Amino acid sequence: HVQLVESGGGSVQVGGSLRLSCVSSVDTIGRYCMGWFRQIPDKEREGVAGIESDGSTSYADSVKGRFTISQDNAKNTLYLQMNSLKPEDTAMYYCAAYPIDGGRCADFGYWGQGTQVTVS
């Protein structure tokens, strides 16, 4: 069982920056695909950024060039650096860890409790 704890959310002005952190209870490198998702009320959760089974990164079109996903192996921590924030980035942000199974990300994984980001 993997426990994920997010932090770093808050209120920021348009154009500002935030860095979200997600601390994992286990070493995820090479064992889990990692990702950041976000959700606003009455909307489906959407993928924001991810680290795939081969270590490559991916981003939603809406955040490309503004957000950067990274991880610190020594600290078992996943980060999301968010720059040039826009009001439409306002959401609850979740960290997720999907086991790597047969070289691919599993369909189901573990989730954190979320951290709220508000841009105005």
Side-chain angles (χ1 to χ4, degrees):
H1 182 72
V2 179
Q3 291 183 320
L4 303 169
V5 179
E6 302 100 330
S7 62
S11 297
V12 64
Q13 292 184 337
V14 173
S17 298
L18 282 174
R19 188 177 78 159
L20 305 183
S21 299
C22 172
V23 179
S24 170
S25 60
V26 301
D27 179 7
T28 60
I29 302 300
R31 300 171 58 196
Y32 293 86
C33 302
M34 302 298 296
W36 287 98
F37 296 76
R38 65 187 180 187
Q39 188 172 25
I40 59 176
D42 300 324
K43 296 287 187 180
E44 290 190 1
R45 190 172 295 184
E46 67 167 343
V48 175
I51 298 178
E52 309 299 331
S53 58
D54 62 357
S56 62
T57 57
S58 60
Y59 296 92
D61 288 342
S62 59
V63 307
K64 281 181 181 177
R66 300 188 299 121
F67 290 11
T68 303
I69 189 171
S70 63
Q71 51 189 4
D72 185 326
N73 303 352
K75 297 181 179 180
N76 288 348
T77 302
L78 181 74
Y79 299 103
L80 185 68
Q81 178 66 45
M82 306 186 294
N83 299 328
S84 302
L85 284 161
K86 305 175 180 180
E88 51 264 42
D89 295 318
T90 295
M92 184 71 79
Y93 283 72
Y94 298 90
C95 168
Y98 288 78
I100 295 174
D101 183 13
R104 302 181 63 180
C105 306
D107 292 333
F108 298 96
Y110 302 92
W111 294 81
Q113 83 289 348
T115 185
Q116 177 68 37
V117 171
T118 303
V119 184
S120 61

